[in-house]
Amino acid sequence: MAEEVSSQMNSLSISETNPSSSATISLVSGDDIVFKVEPTIAKEMETVQSFIDETDGKITTIPLPNISSHDLPYVIEYCEKSIAGKITKEFEAEFVKKLNNEEVKELFLAANYLNIKKLLDFLSQVIADRIANKSVEYVRRYFGIENDFTPEEEAKLREELAWTFTGVDPDDEDEN
Amino acid sequence: MNTLKKINSESTELPDCIISHIFSLLSLKNLVKTSALSKQWYHEWGLRKDLTFDLHNMFDYSTVPELPTTLPPFQQIQFQFAASLYNFMQTYPGDMISSIRVKFPLGIDHTYAIDGLIHKGVLKGANRIELLFACETDFNIQPYKFLFPFLSGPNSLTYLHLQNCHLAATMEFSGLKNLRTLVLTIVPVKQNMLHYLFFNCIHLENFSLNQCLFLSDLKITSPSLLHLNINCGPIISWRNIDIIASKLLSIEFSSDCNYDRSLRMVNIKSHMLFKFSYKCGNISNLVDFSGLRNVTTIEFDGLRECLQSEVITHLFSECLQLQDVTFKECNIKCDMKISGSRMENVYNFGTIARLHLLEDLTMHLGLSQISVLRKDLVRFQNLRQLKLFIVGAYKPERDYLWILDIAMASPHLQKLSLTIRNGNSKTSHMVGSQRQRREHVRFIHKDLKYVELHGCVCSITVIELASHLLRSATLLKQITFSCRHNFYIGAGRWTLDFDGCCWFERNFIHEHLKDEVNEQCRLIIL
């Protein structure tokens, strides 16, 4: 697993121009997998950067217990594109196509923990787009919201705001 | 992967604050729907304070991607939109509304919904209302009548934009005391309505009329107005407009009628007015330049008439404070003489395709502008006559050889007139006799015939200029030095104060130049 991920990382960091690897930062995911990234990438992640700043750059291995080795490569990929100024609509569309609803949420939490503003804004919009035009039941499932209305209350509410409940897309079942 | 799932399975739900943020990105229809999620989210949509009602917000792109182009389905959509709007406002749980924007073709048939919207909006403190009811299709929608009894109470409305509405004849505006900005687009306007408007809206600062049909002559009389924008669009009303506004700072006027005039006459009485933008085919007989007396910045766009006889002559004789004049996309058919006593910038000549036809140019400049203008002036390649008035304190290190560059760039230049005025008599200079011969290697001119040097010309730098001209302008017939103490500064005015900086020494000039005058040229020292 570790081998596989680090080879993936090498291919990701080809675009880096700085060959001096002395200053690379090691990010350790919650499942103990090490990702080596350039310091410029770390700068995009405010949480990581402030950790580096606090220790005057002496510590270059940073544990990220809340982030899995599944999400971290996505975060790094996005940050790399962001630094290179290559975040386009096409890239974003391609980026989220790979992710199911559950993964988008996990990635959101990872971005939230690392405090990457651009990625947070982007993922918020992705989630908003994914729940738009969906049924109330779908949105409840998406966010794990429990329905505490009585059937009568809900029926009354749906009648009052009937105009919003028309034209709902069928729920897609890509959730696990 | 199984271990991974375990790590995440507990924390995979998003916190409420994030969900709330995501809901704030939803369209109105989807946002309202969240009230059915659970009791916690029941009032969530009341947090939206800026309400925009348009096709996308009230329907979905997937169900109604655009307005229908045939009438029955269009009316059906209108009906649905109005009903949803009404329902939204009736059930809206928020305490505060900051702005309302409707961008959808509604009309008089939907009055119940629009009235309800404005009523509730104003009650909940909206300070900005935009009702944009213009319809891009050809359907004849009877316009909504704006008549507000609820607005008679106290309210915080500061911005109102009405588009494709009618203002009721009985509309008194008495409730719009706080209004700062009013924009009327495609609204028929009558004098009696404006009368009430300006009488009641005592804080109105910005007023725009866009493509409005004027049903009578208009008098815009407001002591509070700062900015006025009249855009006639393609509409020809053929009315008079009088503008009497003591605080007015800027006027923008535009019309799409290139050859016809959309209005009969615009009279401006606003002595604070300093900026005037004008976009229209012609200006003569439409705008009285005497109303622009204190304007410092003026922009003309798309003028199609003879600029010299119809515009420039009036402009520079009436607007004596001008500092900044822009001609954009104007049609230059004839020679232009541009002069202004305080003119500092003449912009955008570059955009005038026929610039090279300019044959006669008069400019006033301060010493500080020389460095900028010497670059611009070399672009006038067809100049036949150039008059320069230079005002500024004498500096011994400043020379005038840059004028040779302009002459070089204008091979047809026949007459050059230079008037130098020492603006500061404290730095008056004695004529020095030390003369360093400097060479301007490239200079040669074959058309220049007459050179006049006026004012404070008895200095070694001017002698140097004259010397170059005498040697290298092969057809030069006459070079005149004169030291008039007061001289013409344009716009019918002469300098009043005595500019006694210069001891005019005929012998000095003669001594320095006598050897360089050839047979065909006369040196006149007045």
Side-chain angles (χ1 to χ4, degrees), chain A residues 41-71:
Chain A
I41 304 268
K43 267 211 169 62
E44 292 284 293
M45 310 173 183
E46 272 188 40
T47 309
V48 173
Q49 187 56 36
S50 59
F51 190 87
I52 295 169
D53 292 344
E54 274 169 32
T55 59
D56 292 332
K58 281 175 197 144
I59 293 178
T60 52
T61 301
I62 294 150
L64 300 170
N66 295 340
I67 300 173
S68 76
S69 60
H70 179 260
D71 301 329

PDB file of all heavy atoms in Angstrom, chain A residues 41-71:
ATOM      1  N   ILE A  41       3.521  23.331  -1.764  1.00  0.00           N
ATOM      2  CA  ILE A  41       2.220  22.657  -1.592  1.00  0.00           C
ATOM      3  C   ILE A  41       1.758  22.831  -0.147  1.00  0.00           C
ATOM      4  O   ILE A  41       0.596  23.129   0.124  1.00  0.00           O
ATOM      5  CB  ILE A  41       2.349  21.153  -1.907  1.00  0.00           C
ATOM      6  CG1 ILE A  41       2.904  20.961  -3.309  1.00  0.00           C
ATOM      7  CG2 ILE A  41       1.032  20.421  -1.698  1.00  0.00           C
ATOM      8  CD1 ILE A  41       1.915  20.834  -4.382  1.00  0.00           C
ATOM      9  N   ALA A  42       2.711  22.663   0.757  1.00  0.00           N
ATOM     10  CA  ALA A  42       2.368  22.793   2.172  1.00  0.00           C
ATOM     11  C   ALA A  42       1.826  24.178   2.472  1.00  0.00           C
ATOM     12  O   ALA A  42       0.941  24.351   3.306  1.00  0.00           O
ATOM     13  CB  ALA A  42       3.602  22.503   3.018  1.00  0.00           C
ATOM     14  N   LYS A  43       2.346  25.163   1.754  1.00  0.00           N
ATOM     15  CA  LYS A  43       1.898  26.548   1.972  1.00  0.00           C
ATOM     16  C   LYS A  43       0.401  26.704   1.703  1.00  0.00           C
ATOM     17  O   LYS A  43      -0.277  27.524   2.317  1.00  0.00           O
ATOM     18  CB  LYS A  43       2.663  27.498   1.042  1.00  0.00           C
ATOM     19  CG  LYS A  43       3.901  28.094   1.653  1.00  0.00           C
ATOM     20  CD  LYS A  43       4.142  29.484   1.082  1.00  0.00           C
ATOM     21  CE  LYS A  43       5.216  30.209   1.868  1.00  0.00           C
ATOM     22  NZ  LYS A  43       6.524  29.533   1.807  1.00  0.00           N
ATOM     23  N   GLU A  44      -0.109  25.932   0.744  1.00  0.00           N
ATOM     24  CA  GLU A  44      -1.521  26.008   0.414  1.00  0.00           C
ATOM     25  C   GLU A  44      -2.393  25.495   1.561  1.00  0.00           C
ATOM     26  O   GLU A  44      -3.552  25.846   1.685  1.00  0.00           O
ATOM     27  CB  GLU A  44      -1.827  25.182  -0.844  1.00  0.00           C
ATOM     28  CG  GLU A  44      -1.225  25.734  -2.113  1.00  0.00           C
ATOM     29  CD  GLU A  44      -1.975  26.939  -2.632  1.00  0.00           C
ATOM     30  OE1 GLU A  44      -3.131  26.773  -3.048  1.00  0.00           O
ATOM     31  OE2 GLU A  44      -1.416  28.053  -2.595  1.00  0.00           O
ATOM     32  N   MET A  45      -1.814  24.624   2.366  1.00  0.00           N
ATOM     33  CA  MET A  45      -2.575  24.040   3.479  1.00  0.00           C
ATOM     34  C   MET A  45      -2.237  24.825   4.736  1.00  0.00           C
ATOM     35  O   MET A  45      -1.181  24.658   5.335  1.00  0.00           O
ATOM     36  CB  MET A  45      -2.166  22.581   3.670  1.00  0.00           C
ATOM     37  CG  MET A  45      -2.199  21.781   2.383  1.00  0.00           C
ATOM     38  SD  MET A  45      -1.519  20.132   2.621  1.00  0.00           S
ATOM     39  CE  MET A  45      -1.609  19.476   0.965  1.00  0.00           C
ATOM     40  N   GLU A  46      -3.130  25.693   5.130  1.00  0.00           N
ATOM     41  CA  GLU A  46      -2.817  26.621   6.223  1.00  0.00           C
ATOM     42  C   GLU A  46      -2.453  25.901   7.509  1.00  0.00           C
ATOM     43  O   GLU A  46      -1.559  26.318   8.243  1.00  0.00           O
ATOM     44  CB  GLU A  46      -4.007  27.550   6.469  1.00  0.00           C
ATOM     45  CG  GLU A  46      -3.957  28.790   5.613  1.00  0.00           C
ATOM     46  CD  GLU A  46      -5.030  29.777   6.008  1.00  0.00           C
ATOM     47  OE1 GLU A  46      -5.267  29.935   7.231  1.00  0.00           O
ATOM     48  OE2 GLU A  46      -5.631  30.378   5.103  1.00  0.00           O
ATOM     49  N   THR A  47      -3.156  24.794   7.765  1.00  0.00           N
ATOM     50  CA  THR A  47      -2.893  24.061   9.005  1.00  0.00           C
ATOM     51  C   THR A  47      -1.459  23.541   9.034  1.00  0.00           C
ATOM     52  O   THR A  47      -0.760  23.675  10.038  1.00  0.00           O
ATOM     53  CB  THR A  47      -3.876  22.880   9.106  1.00  0.00           C
ATOM     54  OG1 THR A  47      -5.185  23.391   8.892  1.00  0.00           O
ATOM     55  CG2 THR A  47      -3.802  22.209  10.448  1.00  0.00           C
ATOM     56  N   VAL A  48      -1.029  22.982   7.898  1.00  0.00           N
ATOM     57  CA  VAL A  48       0.322  22.443   7.810  1.00  0.00           C
ATOM     58  C   VAL A  48       1.342  23.567   7.912  1.00  0.00           C
ATOM     59  O   VAL A  48       2.325  23.482   8.648  1.00  0.00           O
ATOM     60  CB  VAL A  48       0.497  21.669   6.483  1.00  0.00           C
ATOM     61  CG1 VAL A  48       1.943  21.250   6.297  1.00  0.00           C
ATOM     62  CG2 VAL A  48      -0.420  20.463   6.466  1.00  0.00           C
ATOM     63  N   GLN A  49       1.090  24.647   7.195  1.00  0.00           N
ATOM     64  CA  GLN A  49       2.032  25.758   7.168  1.00  0.00           C
ATOM     65  C   GLN A  49       2.221  26.350   8.573  1.00  0.00           C
ATOM     66  O   GLN A  49       3.343  26.640   8.984  1.00  0.00           O
ATOM     67  CB  GLN A  49       1.563  26.831   6.181  1.00  0.00           C
ATOM     68  CG  GLN A  49       2.559  27.951   5.948  1.00  0.00           C
ATOM     69  CD  GLN A  49       3.921  27.435   5.483  1.00  0.00           C
ATOM     70  OE1 GLN A  49       4.002  26.466   4.731  1.00  0.00           O
ATOM     71  NE2 GLN A  49       4.986  28.046   5.971  1.00  0.00           N
ATOM     72  N   SER A  50       1.119  26.503   9.291  1.00  0.00           N
ATOM     73  CA  SER A  50       1.260  27.106  10.619  1.00  0.00           C
ATOM     74  C   SER A  50       2.030  26.160  11.548  1.00  0.00           C
ATOM     75  O   SER A  50       2.788  26.599  12.407  1.00  0.00           O
ATOM     76  CB  SER A  50      -0.108  27.462  11.205  1.00  0.00           C
ATOM     77  OG  SER A  50      -0.894  26.321  11.306  1.00  0.00           O
ATOM     78  N   PHE A  51       1.885  24.864  11.324  1.00  0.00           N
ATOM     79  CA  PHE A  51       2.656  23.883  12.094  1.00  0.00           C
ATOM     80  C   PHE A  51       4.148  24.040  11.806  1.00  0.00           C
ATOM     81  O   PHE A  51       4.978  24.075  12.717  1.00  0.00           O
ATOM     82  CB  PHE A  51       2.184  22.461  11.701  1.00  0.00           C
ATOM     83  CG  PHE A  51       2.736  21.386  12.580  1.00  0.00           C
ATOM     84  CD1 PHE A  51       2.087  21.036  13.764  1.00  0.00           C
ATOM     85  CD2 PHE A  51       3.894  20.710  12.235  1.00  0.00           C
ATOM     86  CE1 PHE A  51       2.593  20.051  14.574  1.00  0.00           C
ATOM     87  CE2 PHE A  51       4.397  19.716  13.049  1.00  0.00           C
ATOM     88  CZ  PHE A  51       3.756  19.372  14.225  1.00  0.00           C
ATOM     89  N   ILE A  52       4.472  24.200  10.523  1.00  0.00           N
ATOM     90  CA  ILE A  52       5.879  24.376  10.132  1.00  0.00           C
ATOM     91  C   ILE A  52       6.424  25.677  10.726  1.00  0.00           C
ATOM     92  O   ILE A  52       7.519  25.719  11.272  1.00  0.00           O
ATOM     93  CB  ILE A  52       6.016  24.394   8.595  1.00  0.00           C
ATOM     94  CG1 ILE A  52       5.633  23.028   8.024  1.00  0.00           C
ATOM     95  CG2 ILE A  52       7.434  24.763   8.170  1.00  0.00           C
ATOM     96  CD1 ILE A  52       5.478  23.001   6.529  1.00  0.00           C
ATOM     97  N   ASP A  53       5.631  26.738  10.619  1.00  0.00           N
ATOM     98  CA  ASP A  53       6.063  28.040  11.130  1.00  0.00           C
ATOM     99  C   ASP A  53       6.327  27.993  12.628  1.00  0.00           C
ATOM    100  O   ASP A  53       7.302  28.559  13.121  1.00  0.00           O
ATOM    101  CB  ASP A  53       5.005  29.110  10.822  1.00  0.00           C
ATOM    102  CG  ASP A  53       4.920  29.389   9.326  1.00  0.00           C
ATOM    103  OD1 ASP A  53       5.860  28.989   8.611  1.00  0.00           O
ATOM    104  OD2 ASP A  53       3.929  29.983   8.884  1.00  0.00           O
ATOM    105  N   GLU A  54       5.443  27.301  13.345  1.00  0.00           N
ATOM    106  CA  GLU A  54       5.574  27.262  14.800  1.00  0.00           C
ATOM    107  C   GLU A  54       6.869  26.584  15.237  1.00  0.00           C
ATOM    108  O   GLU A  54       7.453  26.912  16.257  1.00  0.00           O
ATOM    109  CB  GLU A  54       4.390  26.513  15.417  1.00  0.00           C
ATOM    110  CG  GLU A  54       3.186  27.411  15.664  1.00  0.00           C
ATOM    111  CD  GLU A  54       1.945  26.614  16.012  1.00  0.00           C
ATOM    112  OE1 GLU A  54       2.097  25.536  16.633  1.00  0.00           O
ATOM    113  OE2 GLU A  54       0.851  27.063  15.649  1.00  0.00           O
ATOM    114  N   THR A  55       7.314  25.609  14.443  1.00  0.00           N
ATOM    115  CA  THR A  55       8.534  24.897  14.811  1.00  0.00           C
ATOM    116  C   THR A  55       9.738  25.417  14.037  1.00  0.00           C
ATOM    117  O   THR A  55      10.748  24.735  13.917  1.00  0.00           O
ATOM    118  CB  THR A  55       8.354  23.395  14.540  1.00  0.00           C
ATOM    119  OG1 THR A  55       8.054  23.235  13.151  1.00  0.00           O
ATOM    120  CG2 THR A  55       7.231  22.809  15.359  1.00  0.00           C
ATOM    121  N   ASP A  56       9.611  26.598  13.470  1.00  0.00           N
ATOM    122  CA  ASP A  56      10.690  27.239  12.721  1.00  0.00           C
ATOM    123  C   ASP A  56      11.252  26.356  11.615  1.00  0.00           C
ATOM    124  O   ASP A  56      12.448  26.401  11.305  1.00  0.00           O
ATOM    125  CB  ASP A  56      11.836  27.643  13.658  1.00  0.00           C
ATOM    126  CG  ASP A  56      11.395  28.765  14.585  1.00  0.00           C
ATOM    127  OD1 ASP A  56      10.507  29.530  14.155  1.00  0.00           O
ATOM    128  OD2 ASP A  56      11.900  28.843  15.702  1.00  0.00           O
ATOM    129  N   GLY A  57      10.404  25.544  11.046  1.00  0.00           N
ATOM    130  CA  GLY A  57      10.832  24.716   9.924  1.00  0.00           C
ATOM    131  C   GLY A  57      11.707  23.536  10.310  1.00  0.00           C
ATOM    132  O   GLY A  57      12.242  22.850   9.441  1.00  0.00           O
ATOM    133  N   LYS A  58      11.899  23.317  11.611  1.00  0.00           N
ATOM    134  CA  LYS A  58      12.780  22.210  12.013  1.00  0.00           C
ATOM    135  C   LYS A  58      12.093  20.872  11.795  1.00  0.00           C
ATOM    136  O   LYS A  58      12.725  19.877  11.443  1.00  0.00           O
ATOM    137  CB  LYS A  58      13.171  22.352  13.487  1.00  0.00           C
ATOM    138  CG  LYS A  58      14.280  23.386  13.692  1.00  0.00           C
ATOM    139  CD  LYS A  58      14.554  23.591  15.171  1.00  0.00           C
ATOM    140  CE  LYS A  58      15.320  24.888  15.358  1.00  0.00           C
ATOM    141  NZ  LYS A  58      14.933  25.586  16.579  1.00  0.00           N
ATOM    142  N   ILE A  59      10.807  20.869  12.012  1.00  0.00           N
ATOM    143  CA  ILE A  59      10.076  19.618  11.851  1.00  0.00           C
ATOM    144  C   ILE A  59       9.458  19.577  10.472  1.00  0.00           C
ATOM    145  O   ILE A  59       8.735  20.493  10.071  1.00  0.00           O
ATOM    146  CB  ILE A  59       9.001  19.475  12.949  1.00  0.00           C
ATOM    147  CG1 ILE A  59       9.714  19.316  14.282  1.00  0.00           C
ATOM    148  CG2 ILE A  59       8.087  18.305  12.651  1.00  0.00           C
ATOM    149  CD1 ILE A  59       8.783  19.207  15.450  1.00  0.00           C
ATOM    150  N   THR A  60       9.767  18.559   9.728  1.00  0.00           N
ATOM    151  CA  THR A  60       9.248  18.473   8.373  1.00  0.00           C
ATOM    152  C   THR A  60       8.343  17.258   8.189  1.00  0.00           C
ATOM    153  O   THR A  60       7.894  16.990   7.097  1.00  0.00           O
ATOM    154  CB  THR A  60      10.405  18.395   7.356  1.00  0.00           C
ATOM    155  OG1 THR A  60      11.285  17.345   7.749  1.00  0.00           O
ATOM    156  CG2 THR A  60      11.175  19.700   7.303  1.00  0.00           C
ATOM    157  N   THR A  61       8.098  16.554   9.263  1.00  0.00           N
ATOM    158  CA  THR A  61       7.160  15.438   9.188  1.00  0.00           C
ATOM    159  C   THR A  61       5.929  15.799  10.002  1.00  0.00           C
ATOM    160  O   THR A  61       6.033  16.080  11.199  1.00  0.00           O
ATOM    161  CB  THR A  61       7.794  14.156   9.749  1.00  0.00           C
ATOM    162  OG1 THR A  61       8.968  13.886   8.983  1.00  0.00           O
ATOM    163  CG2 THR A  61       6.832  12.992   9.650  1.00  0.00           C
ATOM    164  N   ILE A  62       4.809  15.818   9.313  1.00  0.00           N
ATOM    165  CA  ILE A  62       3.604  16.322   9.973  1.00  0.00           C
ATOM    166  C   ILE A  62       2.523  15.252   9.971  1.00  0.00           C
ATOM    167  O   ILE A  62       2.083  14.801   8.898  1.00  0.00           O
ATOM    168  CB  ILE A  62       3.112  17.595   9.271  1.00  0.00           C
ATOM    169  CG1 ILE A  62       4.174  18.676   9.492  1.00  0.00           C
ATOM    170  CG2 ILE A  62       1.781  18.056   9.803  1.00  0.00           C
ATOM    171  CD1 ILE A  62       4.248  19.663   8.401  1.00  0.00           C
ATOM    172  N   PRO A  63       2.072  14.860  11.139  1.00  0.00           N
ATOM    173  CA  PRO A  63       1.003  13.868  11.201  1.00  0.00           C
ATOM    174  C   PRO A  63      -0.362  14.516  10.959  1.00  0.00           C
ATOM    175  O   PRO A  63      -0.647  15.580  11.493  1.00  0.00           O
ATOM    176  CB  PRO A  63       1.106  13.335  12.643  1.00  0.00           C
ATOM    177  CG  PRO A  63       1.756  14.434  13.404  1.00  0.00           C
ATOM    178  CD  PRO A  63       2.554  15.265  12.456  1.00  0.00           C
ATOM    179  N   LEU A  64      -1.143  13.881  10.133  1.00  0.00           N
ATOM    180  CA  LEU A  64      -2.489  14.393   9.860  1.00  0.00           C
ATOM    181  C   LEU A  64      -3.478  13.267  10.194  1.00  0.00           C
ATOM    182  O   LEU A  64      -3.993  12.582   9.306  1.00  0.00           O
ATOM    183  CB  LEU A  64      -2.610  14.799   8.394  1.00  0.00           C
ATOM    184  CG  LEU A  64      -1.641  15.894   7.918  1.00  0.00           C
ATOM    185  CD1 LEU A  64      -1.686  16.041   6.409  1.00  0.00           C
ATOM    186  CD2 LEU A  64      -1.949  17.221   8.590  1.00  0.00           C
ATOM    187  N   PRO A  65      -3.747  13.071  11.466  1.00  0.00           N
ATOM    188  CA  PRO A  65      -4.523  11.894  11.885  1.00  0.00           C
ATOM    189  C   PRO A  65      -5.953  11.891  11.343  1.00  0.00           C
ATOM    190  O   PRO A  65      -6.554  10.829  11.218  1.00  0.00           O
ATOM    191  CB  PRO A  65      -4.505  11.995  13.417  1.00  0.00           C
ATOM    192  CG  PRO A  65      -4.172  13.422  13.720  1.00  0.00           C
ATOM    193  CD  PRO A  65      -3.305  13.893  12.597  1.00  0.00           C
ATOM    194  N   ASN A  66      -6.487  13.061  10.999  1.00  0.00           N
ATOM    195  CA  ASN A  66      -7.880  13.098  10.546  1.00  0.00           C
ATOM    196  C   ASN A  66      -8.043  12.831   9.058  1.00  0.00           C
ATOM    197  O   ASN A  66      -9.149  12.849   8.548  1.00  0.00           O
ATOM    198  CB  ASN A  66      -8.489  14.472  10.848  1.00  0.00           C
ATOM    199  CG  ASN A  66      -8.577  14.709  12.334  1.00  0.00           C
ATOM    200  OD1 ASN A  66      -8.544  13.758  13.117  1.00  0.00           O
ATOM    201  ND2 ASN A  66      -8.679  15.957  12.727  1.00  0.00           N
ATOM    202  N   ILE A  67      -6.937  12.652   8.378  1.00  0.00           N
ATOM    203  CA  ILE A  67      -7.034  12.541   6.922  1.00  0.00           C
ATOM    204  C   ILE A  67      -6.513  11.181   6.469  1.00  0.00           C
ATOM    205  O   ILE A  67      -5.446  10.754   6.885  1.00  0.00           O
ATOM    206  CB  ILE A  67      -6.252  13.679   6.247  1.00  0.00           C
ATOM    207  CG1 ILE A  67      -6.857  14.999   6.707  1.00  0.00           C
ATOM    208  CG2 ILE A  67      -6.300  13.562   4.736  1.00  0.00           C
ATOM    209  CD1 ILE A  67      -6.108  16.190   6.267  1.00  0.00           C
ATOM    210  N   SER A  68      -7.296  10.548   5.619  1.00  0.00           N
ATOM    211  CA  SER A  68      -6.921   9.199   5.193  1.00  0.00           C
ATOM    212  C   SER A  68      -6.020   9.260   3.972  1.00  0.00           C
ATOM    213  O   SER A  68      -5.972  10.274   3.259  1.00  0.00           O
ATOM    214  CB  SER A  68      -8.175   8.390   4.857  1.00  0.00           C
ATOM    215  OG  SER A  68      -8.672   8.810   3.602  1.00  0.00           O
ATOM    216  N   SER A  69      -5.320   8.187   3.710  1.00  0.00           N
ATOM    217  CA  SER A  69      -4.431   8.125   2.547  1.00  0.00           C
ATOM    218  C   SER A  69      -5.249   8.069   1.262  1.00  0.00           C
ATOM    219  O   SER A  69      -4.708   8.172   0.170  1.00  0.00           O
ATOM    220  CB  SER A  69      -3.539   6.897   2.656  1.00  0.00           C
ATOM    221  OG  SER A  69      -4.354   5.745   2.696  1.00  0.00           O
ATOM    222  N   HIS A  70      -6.539   7.907   1.389  1.00  0.00           N
ATOM    223  CA  HIS A  70      -7.402   7.918   0.209  1.00  0.00           C
ATOM    224  C   HIS A  70      -7.676   9.352  -0.238  1.00  0.00           C
ATOM    225  O   HIS A  70      -7.704   9.656  -1.432  1.00  0.00           O
ATOM    226  CB  HIS A  70      -8.707   7.186   0.525  1.00  0.00           C
ATOM    227  CG  HIS A  70      -9.673   7.178  -0.618  1.00  0.00           C
ATOM    228  ND1 HIS A  70     -10.729   8.045  -0.689  1.00  0.00           N
ATOM    229  CD2 HIS A  70      -9.709   6.424  -1.744  1.00  0.00           C
ATOM    230  CE1 HIS A  70     -11.391   7.824  -1.808  1.00  0.00           C
ATOM    231  NE2 HIS A  70     -10.794   6.847  -2.469  1.00  0.00           N
ATOM    232  N   ASP A  71      -7.860  10.246   0.732  1.00  0.00           N
ATOM    233  CA  ASP A  71      -8.205  11.644   0.404  1.00  0.00           C
ATOM    234  C   ASP A  71      -6.990  12.504   0.113  1.00  0.00           C
ATOM    235  O   ASP A  71      -7.054  13.424  -0.717  1.00  0.00           O
ATOM    236  CB  ASP A  71      -8.978  12.281   1.565  1.00  0.00           C
ATOM    237  CG  ASP A  71     -10.253  11.524   1.880  1.00  0.00           C
ATOM    238  OD1 ASP A  71     -10.819  10.950   0.930  1.00  0.00           O
ATOM    239  OD2 ASP A  71     -10.674  11.519   3.049  1.00  0.00           O
TER     240      ASP A  71
END
